[in-house]
Amino acid sequence: MSNVTLQQVRGYLTTQQWSLVSTPDAFIEVWRCQGEKGGELLLPTEQAIDKDFLLNESLRKLASIKDSVVSEIIREVRELTENLVSIRVAHRDVNDGSIPLEDGIALNANAKELISAAANAALERRPLYQGRPPALVSALLQSARLGQTTHGSYVIHVFCKDPPQNDQPMDFARVTTRVLGSALTGLKSALEKYEESGNTILFEEALTRGASANLCDAIAKFSGKDRARTVEISLSADAVDQLAPSPRTIIEFPPSHQPHLRVAAEYFRQTYTLLNETIIGVVERLDRRAEQDAGVVRVATTLSNGVQRSVSVQLGINEYPGAIHAHENKQLVRVSGNVIVTPRTASMVEPTGFRIYGNFELFE
């Protein structure tokens, strides 16, 4: 069996500059390509009783015309008519085309997580996806197919297509593939910039392009238990009904990105550190022991990444009285330092430059 349909073969021929020139009867089609020597091909129609046998014969003829083999033609047909995601891991321990069993299992399992993260992002951008996925995402995962592995270090292929009964107005598989490309490109750019600056705020741009903690986790686990392998993800949206095939997108994550992927995942899980952060806000709570002159204040503010939090700040004996005055008079305060954020808390480490703003001073 060819594992491709007549519709897919027709779509493939169209992208390769073949054209349908005649239909002698209800059971056969004649296709021709001026650019190929002997470029005439007979295709069965859906009405042909032995269409599967005839389709295989057509593929053999096409392989002969293109000086190729049937398996390669089928691979090309699927690449151009389905949404293909290929995941390649490279390291000397997989150069022979094999991979440790445990890592191979993880590679296949996290391929599903990668597609799931992109499909969720196609519906709604979020830093973390939890719980039961939407019905459209579940249907896409159920219809996705794992292709045969190929040589080249170690490579697996995932073919994404919409389920047969899909009634959505959009080609969700194609949209998911393109969102995945956007998310991977945005994440790689953010990782490279973070490597230079150490500023986690850079991951916000990747979030808007579809990156998430789920995506980061999947890529990290592709690299193996020791996180030593280079991960290369290539993808292409199907080319059917397009004027030209979509260019293949290739994104590579070297082992040096592994520590930064963990930081990005923690950031998306709302566990991160904002370096050299300056906050401005209202003192909403004071907390100190009776026998102490210093204490902790909580400042309601909006962080530089747009998140609204109440930040705990430890003030010394010289600053705390000013915080009391600001609290009683509802004045704004300003303080700088590194802010550690978790899902439940936000606190500033080694605060400096605490000051109180007057009624109009902030706008000067």
Side-chain angles (χ1 to χ4, degrees), residues 317-338:
I317 58 176
N318 294 325
E319 296 90 3
Y320 196 82
I324 296 175
H325 176 80
H327 177 65
E328 292 174 345
N329 294 278
K330 294 183 172 53
Q331 291 177 293
L332 293 171
V333 299
R334 168 178 172 159
V335 63
S336 300
N338 297 336

Side-chain angles (χ1 to χ4, degrees), residues 33-337:
C33 181
Q34 299 296 332
E36 298 282 1
K37 184 179 180 181
E40 185 169 282
L41 187 70
L42 301 181
L43 273 186
T45 68
E46 283 77 2
Q47 287 73 37
I49 297 175
D50 51 354
K51 66 177 181 180
D52 291 337
F53 172 79
L54 294 174
L55 177 58
N56 284 327
E57 291 301 307
S58 299
L59 291 173
R60 290 190 182 94
K61 174 67 180 297
L62 184 59
S64 175
I65 292 173
K66 295 176 69 66
D67 193 23
S68 183
V69 294
V70 173
S71 61
E72 181 64 17
I73 295 297
I74 291 174
R75 184 190 65 80
E76 290 180 4
V77 170
R78 297 193 70 180
E79 283 190 5
L80 281 172
T81 60
E82 295 183 6
N83 303 281
L84 174 65
V85 179
S86 298
I87 303 159
R88 173 178 176 266
V89 293
H91 190 264
R92 61 178 179 272
D93 67 345
V94 293
N95 282 343
D96 63 352
S98 68
I99 194 169
L101 178 61
E102 184 178 345
D103 288 349
I105 293 172
L107 187 62
N108 285 281
N110 285 285
K112 177 182 177 181
E113 297 304 316
L114 184 83
I115 303 301
S116 178
N120 275 291
L123 296 177
E124 180 186 8
R125 300 290 199 270
R126 291 171 55 185
L128 177 65
Y129 300 100
Q130 296 176 300
R132 179 179 299 179
L136 195 56
V137 175
S138 295
L140 178 67
L141 294 175
Q142 290 173 5
S143 64
R145 305 285 292 179
L146 193 64
Q148 186 174 359
T149 58
T150 56
H151 225 67
S153 293
Y154 193 85
V155 188
I156 66 170
H157 307 286
V158 181
F159 295 96
C160 298
K161 57 182 180 180
D162 288 306
Q165 303 303 320
N166 179 37
D167 57 358
Q168 294 296 318
M170 63 176 173
D171 184 339
F172 187 58
R174 183 187 296 178
V175 172
T176 294
T177 305
R178 290 178 173 171
V179 168
L180 177 58
S182 171
L184 293 171
T185 303
L187 179 60
K188 181 177 174 64
S189 175
L191 292 172
E192 291 173 342
K193 293 176 182 176
Y194 173 80
E195 194 169 19
E196 296 177 359
S197 68
N199 190 350
T200 54
I201 194 67
L202 295 165
F203 296 126
E204 281 295 315
E205 174 63 23
L207 174 61
T208 65
R209 297 186 61 177
S212 63
N214 311 70
L215 186 80
C216 294
D217 289 342
I219 298 169
K221 291 174 182 176
F222 287 148
S223 191
K225 182 172 61 177
D226 298 327
R227 304 290 191 263
R229 301 188 186 107
T230 294
V231 178
E232 179 188 280
I233 302 173
S234 61
L235 44 95
S236 57
D238 70 79
V240 177
D241 76 19
Q242 299 181 51
L243 295 177
S246 300
R248 179 178 292 275
T249 302
I250 301 176
I251 307 98
E252 182 179 287
F253 298 89
S256 60
H257 280 171
Q258 288 297 318
H260 309 325
L261 278 168
R262 288 194 291 271
V263 174
E266 290 175 353
Y267 179 84
F268 292 136
R269 286 191 174 88
Q270 299 181 11
T271 303
Y272 54 91
T273 300
L274 296 176
L275 301 178
N276 303 317
E277 184 83 352
T278 296
I279 64 173
I280 299 173
V282 175
V283 177
E284 62 178 7
R285 181 172 176 177
L286 301 163
D287 186 13
R288 71 170 175 179
R289 295 181 180 179
E291 69 277 10
Q292 292 181 336
D293 295 320
V296 176
V297 301
R298 286 169 58 175
V299 180
T301 187
T302 300
L303 300 174
S304 59
N305 60 357
V307 175
Q308 294 183 345
R309 298 301 294 264
S310 180
V311 181
S312 296
V313 183
Q314 176 73 51
L315 296 179
I317 58 176
N318 294 325
E319 296 90 3
Y320 196 82
I324 296 175
H325 176 80
H327 177 65
E328 292 174 345
N329 294 278
K330 294 183 172 53
Q331 291 177 293
L332 293 171
V333 299
R334 168 178 172 159
V335 63
S336 300

